[in-house]
Amino acid sequence: MTIEFPKGRTAFLVIHGIGEQNPFETLDSFARGVISHLKSEDKAFDASHQIIERKGASGSGWIENYVRLTSAEGKDIIDIHEYYWAYLTEEKITLSEIWDWVERTLQATKNFYRENEDLVQRYERNGKVKFRLERVAWNLYLLRMAHPFIKLALAILSLFRTGRLSIIDKLIEGLNKYLRPILIGYIGDIAIYTTMDEKSRFFRLRQQILAESQALLESILEDPQYDRVIIAGHSLGSGIAYDTLNRLNIRANLPIGAKLPIEKLKGLITFGSPLDKIAFFFREHTKKDQWIRQQIIEHLH
């Protein structure tokens, strides 16, 4: 299928996922993909690095770097912007807090199953599910119980270190090099962003991530040079994109958002999206008799 260089001026806003992300990595990957496709279609264009002054959610100014692809005729452009949020969650959660989050998530899921017995009958007790929830729970509880003993054993063994690099040193170095980045850099990002308890300090981080995402998206939408805006989210970035659109929708229904040009929004692209998992594991549940609260939450989210 042949795809033409889009007519007019199109802006993409790409949002990265979890992990040890660096500025401009997702922008680089996405832009190279677009450039590679245009070259495969023998489209002539110019690529350039652009900068623009922006204001964050708090009103502070910053300089955004983005990529511009211009058609050979110079009439049409594709601008690729990046929302970078990894710095907001860097080293903000501990291993102990991650364990607590895992247990709370599992317990909330078990409560959901208790309230929906038909799902248990349909999927778990007739053998359709390979890994039953109870087995997952027991494995996690065992790991949780073993964790402090592993730390104690490593601390005791470290007393017998020699001047040379011992096996214990190598083990600790390996854990810090490979295991810690996975737990803190990957699972930690999920734990922080999916926290729905407004009393938690992680909820404030989540709100900050969304506030900055919304501020950038609104700034791009309000730019008169763009005819259309498309959001692209990878992994957890698709959840941030979805929640940003939800916040934008709420604001558009307020008097202050009446002039917001949301008609420019033309698409949401996701890559490796966990949106269905987020909806199942982390959505806010209400008690059966709280039908007013339930409708408000469902309406807002």
Side-chain angles (χ1 to χ4, degrees):
M1 180 177 67
T2 301
I3 300 178
E4 298 293 332
F5 196 101
K7 302 298 181 184
R9 293 172 173 258
T10 302
F12 284 92
L13 175 59
V14 296
I15 306 176
H16 67 77
I18 61 175
E20 301 292 328
Q21 302 285 346
N22 294 312
F24 314 130
E25 281 185 340
T26 305
L27 176 65
D28 171 88
S29 178
F30 191 89
R32 281 189 289 112
V34 175
I35 289 171
S36 177
H37 175 75
L38 291 174
K39 286 182 175 178
S40 71
E41 297 284 334
D42 294 324
K43 305 300 180 186
F45 62 93
D46 293 321
S48 61
H49 166 217
Q50 303 286 325
I51 59 175
I52 189 172
E53 213 171 359
R54 300 283 189 197
K55 280 192 175 182
S58 64
S60 59
W62 61 287
I63 302 298
E64 184 204 358
N65 296 266
Y66 64 98
V67 174
R68 169 166 291 180
L69 307 179
T70 309
S71 64
E73 300 80 12
K75 296 180 180 179
D76 309 309
I77 67 165
I78 300 174
D79 282 351
I80 304 173
H81 304 265
E82 177 190 60
Y83 173 50
Y84 178 71
W85 56 270
Y87 71 97
L88 293 171
T89 59
E90 189 72 15
E91 297 294 330
K92 293 294 195 306
I93 191 169
T94 65
L95 288 175
S96 178
E97 288 172 324
I98 289 175
W99 277 116
D100 291 338
W101 169 81
V102 170
E103 289 185 356
R104 287 196 306 271
T105 300
L106 186 63
Q107 188 58 52
T109 306
K110 291 175 71 175
N111 292 340
F112 176 79
Y113 267 86
R114 290 194 192 99
E115 295 170 2
N116 297 271
E117 182 65 22
D118 60 315
L119 291 178
V120 180
Q121 295 291 343
R122 193 183 311 165
Y123 292 107
E124 294 210 349
R125 293 181 181 167
N126 61 7
K128 288 185 178 180
V129 175
K130 182 178 288 188
F131 301 105
R132 294 191 177 184
L133 194 62
E134 290 84 356
R135 294 177 185 175
V136 176
W138 274 109
N139 288 332
L140 287 172
Y141 289 145
L142 288 173
L143 284 172
R144 172 67 163 165
M145 291 173 64
H147 182 247
F149 294 102
I150 294 173
K151 289 178 63 178
L152 178 61
L154 289 174
I156 294 173
L157 289 172
S158 67
L159 298 175
F160 299 95
R161 288 179 177 175
T162 62
R164 295 174 298 175
L165 188 64
S166 66
I167 295 176
I168 301 303
D169 292 316
K170 292 179 180 179
L171 179 60
I172 294 174
E173 181 183 351
L175 288 173
N176 285 330
K177 184 178 181 181
Y178 298 106
L179 186 59
R180 182 179 173 81
I182 292 174
L183 291 174
I184 299 295
Y186 288 79
I187 300 178
D189 284 349
I190 302 172
I192 289 172
Y193 185 75
T194 56
T195 297
M196 297 298 178
D197 183 2
E198 295 188 21
K199 300 180 289 296
S200 169
R201 65 187 180 93
F202 298 139
F203 185 82
R204 291 191 291 273
L205 280 174
R206 181 182 191 275
Q207 293 298 90
Q208 186 178 356
I209 291 170
L210 287 174
E212 296 297 343
S213 175
Q214 183 180 352
L216 179 55
L217 177 57
E218 288 187 7
S219 180
I220 293 171
L221 283 170
E222 291 170 349
D223 193 327
Q225 70 175 317
Y226 295 129
D227 301 313
R228 66 188 68 83
V229 177
I230 299 170
I231 308 177
H234 173 243
S235 180
L236 186 60
S238 65
I240 295 173
Y242 189 89
D243 291 335
T244 300
L245 289 174
N246 187 61
R247 288 169 63 112
L248 199 68
N249 177 52
I250 292 172
R251 187 173 182 215
N253 282 278
L254 297 172
I256 193 174
K259 295 182 179 180
L260 195 63
I262 58 172
E263 68 280 354
K264 287 185 180 181
L265 282 168
K266 299 300 181 182
L268 169 64
I269 303 171
T270 65
F271 307 90
S273 175
L275 280 171
D276 56 338
K277 279 73 175 179
I278 291 175
F280 179 79
F281 285 103
F282 306 115
R283 66 180 174 182
E284 192 170 359
H285 298 290
T286 60
K287 297 178 181 179
K288 289 185 177 181
D289 61 341
Q290 294 180 331
W291 51 272
I292 293 179
R293 182 170 182 263
Q294 179 185 3
Q295 292 187 53
I296 291 174
I297 289 174
E298 290 180 354
H299 196 196
L300 285 176
H301 306 299

